């Protein structure tokens, strides 16, 4: 062995060590790191998947997540991928505690910066384990590939439930679950193999919902907590496009009514006071006890000329679960018109304490309204409030509750102004909400290259056990039942 | 026949043939290939690569898309296709040589290349199918080149699985080659069990793919199961499989059978008579196939003219498009809006209302048929007009309607629209995607950098020009007719020449001279006061005459003495005809006044 080489090797090792020492000399910044997704100061469920993130304009990244007893350290170039097993242990051991996240980066040019640490509060209450949604390009009129998917929120596993490429690119929409139950759900399929598909007790029915008792196709569905009824709105929906506006598209109804569908008798209940010509009734929702039916209502105006005059208020009426009868009197719970606002998509928390809705300047389809925000009504006090830490400058629209009422999900376009992404937030019994956080992904760059919208995010308590091929078979081979 | 002479002729014919293919594509099919580039979005990044390898068929799709992205360059498509066919030809030659070393068969690779040429006339056929075919041929060559039975069979099984994952149908092509080879060349006792194993693998592979991919990849559902292909794409599969993809095995079987029939032993040199008859047979087949290719091309010739118009619009070569329309007017109605756009862009549309097939306002815009082509045409027109919101709408429709949902050109257009509309978050998203493409990388990177300092975008010429044209007031927009599109644009920017041209043309065509006069009066002085086209003067005279405004009151309307005299002559002639109770549309009258707006106004039926 040549001693010369040994000497070179020895010097090299020393040099490398020397470099490592130099790396450790970091500058401290008094600012928070610029991370994406913005997970700074969020409250997270103890069963959520790792919150992987990236730091803009950096060459090397080191993140330390410190809990009560354990610490996870992750390294990456500009993004980190937190080891899932260690993450789960960390969260389970830190329920109700705070995690401290320290970010150290090496900027271009070799500058090392340690930012101010930030916190993640780990809530005691878990979130429902799965999220069901439709993935679709946020288009105008035409569509191509779309599908209903479910994501395991405790990991990064996503499963396709149904993809329209299997059925001649038909349109599938408005999936809805009864009490967040993955075994009881409904969705519509249009174009080929038309119908509303309703699954419960392991059986699926294909319903033909049009008949002479209702004026059009059934659209926005909601289940009664008993699973015996569903409420639908029947909408004559149109759209137009803005020439120069912050909002691209305006979706409006020329007419709309609310009807009840009796799941067991396969028939409609058509309450006259929910089908008035002089008003647009839409977006029904049942209370947690099933004895109240909420819906949104606006005075009917000539559309589309008066599209900004369509101001939807929140109304309610009584509902008798024994026979599906709707009360004769209608109360206005929140008069949005008086505030020059419009509210839609009411959803009552499973504990019956809060009602969440979407509020914008006008109209009922707030997905395309940048000013749309989420609002909450405390059903015990009747107080309406806007959770500012959940809302953004862009559209917050569709939302759903976790079965324990402590979490909710909101579809928001805040990330890029076009593609809707689910954001989760915690809410306590007093109605205090935490800052909303984006659906975590394994790859922190995911939202840079993903060009679809998460449409109708619905929290569900477990996985839907039907796979795509079974669903395909169901859609194509289930005989049609005419709704009476 | 002299063996050397035969070999040299074979080489010369093949070389000429493989040079002729790219040349043919370049001369007669270039614009199709240029358009074909749009219908993909190859990105060279880890997620795309991972997605490609994660489902059966993804790799050939990825490879095909990569090659297609170079169709952006006029010579790119012809060269890539020519090379691909050449490589396929080499593989087929190798397979045939292995089948029959002293064969005199030079035509099979050429026949396959001709059939592939014909296949690629259809824009629906992706390059992935040809790249998949090439990869499979390569696998077949590897398989037949291994001599020891055991190693060859193990390798065959691995290749079969790989071929399935790379291109799905590839496994069928490879399977047909393997079974043929095993059947005719192997004589050991394991021959039938080997064939049985291969068939079992081919059946099991889709089932494994199902287990692996069912839950996460929707494309798997349309790609992993041969059953699905047979259900939904059987027409395509039958035509492609029977004509092209099965050809290596068919050629091999033919050779094996032929030589068996002739009772000749392997390595025996065939006699001259046999060689001559085979050469003649092959020449006949080549001639028939070549003739079919030409006949097939005829069906796409008109489309090629449309594609040329499309390319000239894309590159904003207006004069070239007008010249092209003069020489070879494309038969497709879809070309008319493009020609009208070129005319309007050069301020020639309203002066030439009787030319081309633009004599209805419908020919200025196409109805949106919820497909990528009409959406693209509308997008181009609306973008040029400065109606960026509607152009963005149509660009998105075109992107979404493109088979596969990927369209690099429309993604670029969407980025442009977002930059103009100062929608920087959306622009950033599209630009980031484009930075991963081989062709649009530089363009996207430069704007991605500029987005960080939005003020710098104001200095960009095309952005500043388009922003100047944006409507000032929000309106509910549609694009049912050109006038409704143009009104807000011309109100926002009276110097919008294109909007003026389209509106003026529409009014002239529909004989709405009152609105033409109003438009002219309000906007023409702001566009080009010094020059009034002859046809416009004639139309204005019609208005003056209809409203009994005498020459003394023409005021600011600049009508030349010559036009006034010409009109007087026309009026007198019409009076003469009326006195004689005749219609003023005979040949003499037409010769003299046929090119005037007065004649059009009087005789053109609406």
């Amino acid at each position: 062995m040549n001693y010369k080489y040994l000497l070179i090797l020895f010097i090299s090792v020393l040099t490398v060590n020397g470099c490592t020492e130099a790396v450790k000399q970091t500058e401290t910044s008094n600012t928070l790191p610029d991370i994406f997704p913005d997970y700074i100061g969020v409250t997270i469920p103890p069963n959520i998947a790792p919150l992987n993130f990236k730091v803009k304009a950096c060459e090397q990244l080191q993140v330390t997540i410190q809990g009560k007893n354990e610490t996870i350290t992750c390294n990456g170039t500009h993004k980190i991928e937190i080891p899932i097993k260690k993450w789960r242990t960390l969260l389970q051991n830190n329920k109700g505690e705070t995690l401290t996240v320290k970010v150290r980066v090496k900027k271009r040019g070799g500058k090392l910066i340690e930012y101010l640490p930030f916190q993640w509060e780990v809530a005691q209450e878990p979130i429902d384990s799965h999220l069901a949604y439709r993935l679709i390009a946020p288009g105008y009129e035409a569509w191509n590939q779309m599908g209903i998917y479910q994501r395991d929120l405790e990991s990064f596993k996503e499963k396709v439930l149904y993809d329209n490429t299997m059925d001649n690119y038909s349109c599938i929409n408005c999936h809805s679950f009864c009490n967040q139950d993955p075994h009881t759900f409904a969705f519509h399929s249009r174009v080929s193999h038309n119908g509303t598909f309703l699954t419960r007790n392991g059986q699926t029915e294909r319903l033909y919902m049009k008949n002479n008792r209702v004026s059009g196709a059934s659209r926005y569905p909601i289940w009664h907590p008993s699973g015996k009824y569903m409420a639908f709105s029947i909408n004559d929906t149109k759209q137009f496009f803005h020439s120069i506006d912050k909002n691209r598209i305006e979706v409006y109804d020329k007419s709309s009514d609310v009807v009840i569908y009796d799941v067991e008798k396969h028939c409609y209940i058509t309450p006259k006071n929910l089908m008035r010509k002089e008003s647009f009734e839409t977006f029904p929702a049942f209370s947690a006890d099933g004895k109240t039916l909420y819906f949104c209502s606006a005075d009917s105006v000539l559309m589309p000329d008066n599209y900004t005059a369509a101001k939807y208020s929140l109304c309610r009426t009584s509902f008798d679960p024994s026979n599906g009868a709707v009360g004769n009197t209608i109360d206005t719970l929140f008069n949005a018109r008086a505030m020059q606002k419009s509210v839609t998509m009411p959803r009552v928390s499973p504990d019956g304490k809060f009602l969440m809705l979407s509020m914008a300047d006008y109209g009922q389809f707030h997905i395309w309204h940048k000013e749309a925000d989420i609002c909450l009504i405390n059903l015990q006090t009747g107080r309406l409030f806007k959770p500012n830490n959940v809302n953004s400058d862009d559209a917050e629209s569709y939302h759903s509750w976790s079965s324990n009422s402590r979490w909710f999900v909101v579809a928001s376009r805040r990330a890029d102004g076009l593609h809707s992404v689910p954001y989760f937030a915690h809410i306590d019994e007093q109605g205090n909400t935490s800052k909303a956080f984006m659906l975590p992904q394994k790859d922190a760059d995911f939202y840079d290259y993903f060009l679809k919208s998460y449409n109708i995010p619905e929290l569900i308590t477990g996985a839907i056990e039907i796979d795509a091929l079974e669903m395909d078979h169901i859609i194509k081979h289930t005989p049609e039942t005419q709704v009476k | 026949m002299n063996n050397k002479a035969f070999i040299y002729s074979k080489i010369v014919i093949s070389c000429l043939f493989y040079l002729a293919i790219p040349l043919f594509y370049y001369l007669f099919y270039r614009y199709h290939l240029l358009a074909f580039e749009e219908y993909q979005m190859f990105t060279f990044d880890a997620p795309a690569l991972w997605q490609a390898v994660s489902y059966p068929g993804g790799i050939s799709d990825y490879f095909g898309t990569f090659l297609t992205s170079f169709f952006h360059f006029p010579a790119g498509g012809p060269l890539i296709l020519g090379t691909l066919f050449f490589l396929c030809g080499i593989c087929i030659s190798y397979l045939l040589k292995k089948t029959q070393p002293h064969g005199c068969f030079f035509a099979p690779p050429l026949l396959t290349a001709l059939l592939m040429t014909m296949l690629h006339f259809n824009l629906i056929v992706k390059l992935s199918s040809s790249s998949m075919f090439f990869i499979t041929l390569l696998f077949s060559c590897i398989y037949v080149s291994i001599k020891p039975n055991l190693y060859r069979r193990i390798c065959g099984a691995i290749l079969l699985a790989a071929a399935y994952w790379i291109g799905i149908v590839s496994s069928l092509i490879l399977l047909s080659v393997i079974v043929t080879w095993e059947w005719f060349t192997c004589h050991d006792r394991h021959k039938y069990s080997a064939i049985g194993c291969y068939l079992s693998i081919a059946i099991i592979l889709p089932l494994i793919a199902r287990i692996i991919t069912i839950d996460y990849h929707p494309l798997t559902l349309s790609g992993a199961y041969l059953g699905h292909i047979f259900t939904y794409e059987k027409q395509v599969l039958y035509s492609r499989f029977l004509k092209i993809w099965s050809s290596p095995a068919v050629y091999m079987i033919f050779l094996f059978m032929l030589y068996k029939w002739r009772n000749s032993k392997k390595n025996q040199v065939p006699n001259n008579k046999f060689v001559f008859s085979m050469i003649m047979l092959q020449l006949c087949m080549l001639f028939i196939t070549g003739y079919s290719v030409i006949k097939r091309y005829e069906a796409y010739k008109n489309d090629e003219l449309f594609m040329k118009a499309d390319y000239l619009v894309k590159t904003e070569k207006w004069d070239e498009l007008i010249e092209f329309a003069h020489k070879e007017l494309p038969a497709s109605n879809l070309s008319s809006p493009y020609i009208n756009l070129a005319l309007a862009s050069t301020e020639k549309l309203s002066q030439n209302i009787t030319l081309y097939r633009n004599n209805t306002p419908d020919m200025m815009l196409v109805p949106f048929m919820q497909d990528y082509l009409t959406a693209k045409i509308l997008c181009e027109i609306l973008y040029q007009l400065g109606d960026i919101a509607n152009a963005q709408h149509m660009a998105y429709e075109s992107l979404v309607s493109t088979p596969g949902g990927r369209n690099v050109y429309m993604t670029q257009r969407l980025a442009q629209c977002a930059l103009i509309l100062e929608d920087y978050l959306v622009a950033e998203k599209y630009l980031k995607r484009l930075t991963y493409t081989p062709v649009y990388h530089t363009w996207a990177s430069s704007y991605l950098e500029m987005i960080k300092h939005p003020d710098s975008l104001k200095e960009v010429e095309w952005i500043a020009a388009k922003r100047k044209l944006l409507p000032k007031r929000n309106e509910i927009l549609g694009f049912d007719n050109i006038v409704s599109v143009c009104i807000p644009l011309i109100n926002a920017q009276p110097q919008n020449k294109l909007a003026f041209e389209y509106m003026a043309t529409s009014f002239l065509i529909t004989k709405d001279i009152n609105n033409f006069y109003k438009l002219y009066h309000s906007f023409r002085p702001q566009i080009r006061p010094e020059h009034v086209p002859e046809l416009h003067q004639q139309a204005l005279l019609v208005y003056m005459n209809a409203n009994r405004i005498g020459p003394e009151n023409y005021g600011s309307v600049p009508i030349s003495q010559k036009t006034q005299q010409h009109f007087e002559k026309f009026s007198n002639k019409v009076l003469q005809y009326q006195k004689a109770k005749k219609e003023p549309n005979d040949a003499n009258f037409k010769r003299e006044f046929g090119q005037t707006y007065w004649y059009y106004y009087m005789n053109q039926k609406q």
Side-chain angles (χ1 to χ4, degrees), chain A residues 59 165 192 260 403 405:
Chain A
E59 274 185 349
T165 52
S192 55
I260 311 293
S403 58
S405 303

Side-chain angles (χ1 to χ4, degrees), chain B residues 15-26:
Chain B
C15 286
L16 285 175
F17 183 85
Y18 285 116
L19 283 174
I21 287 180
L23 200 65
F24 169 79
Y25 271 123
Y26 186 78

Side-chain angles (χ1 to χ4, degrees), chain A residues 269-374:
Chain A
I269 298 160
T270 50
K272 285 212 167 64
N273 51 359
L274 301 183
M275 302 179 80
R276 291 175 301 159
K277 281 257 185 310
E278 61 274 18
S279 61
F280 299 148
E281 296 91 359
T282 191
F283 284 112
F286 287 104
S287 61
D289 62 6
K291 291 178 181 170
T292 306
L293 176 68
Y294 296 92
F295 60 95
C296 297
S297 175
D299 290 344
S300 66
V301 287
L302 186 67
M303 291 295 221
D305 300 353
N306 300 314
Y307 70 96
T308 55
K311 311 271 188 189
Y312 287 81
S313 290
L314 179 67
C315 299
R316 71 178 167 195
T317 185
S318 60
F319 183 79
D320 185 350
S322 63
N323 57 9
V326 171
N328 293 321
T329 54
I330 290 171
D331 298 332
T332 302
L333 186 64
F334 175 68
N335 187 346
R337 195 174 52 180
M339 287 174 68
Q340 285 302 302
K341 293 283 177 190
S342 182
V343 293
T344 62
M345 300 181 208
R347 298 295 290 267
V348 182
S349 62
D351 63 6
K353 288 183 179 170
F354 297 100
L355 184 145
M356 188 177 288
L357 32 75
S358 164
M359 183 190 279
D361 291 344
Y362 60 87
Q364 50 83 24
F365 204 76
H366 293 169
I367 292 167
W368 286 106
H369 278 238
K370 283 196 184 285
E371 79 282 4
D373 279 331
I374 290 300

Side-chain angles (χ1 to χ4, degrees), chain A residues 180-199:
Chain A
Q180 290 80 19
D181 177 8
H183 309 295
T184 312
F185 61 94
F187 67 92
H188 304 309
S189 173
R190 313 280 191 217
V191 186
S192 55
H193 300 102
N194 265 342
T196 296
F197 291 84
L198 203 143
T199 299

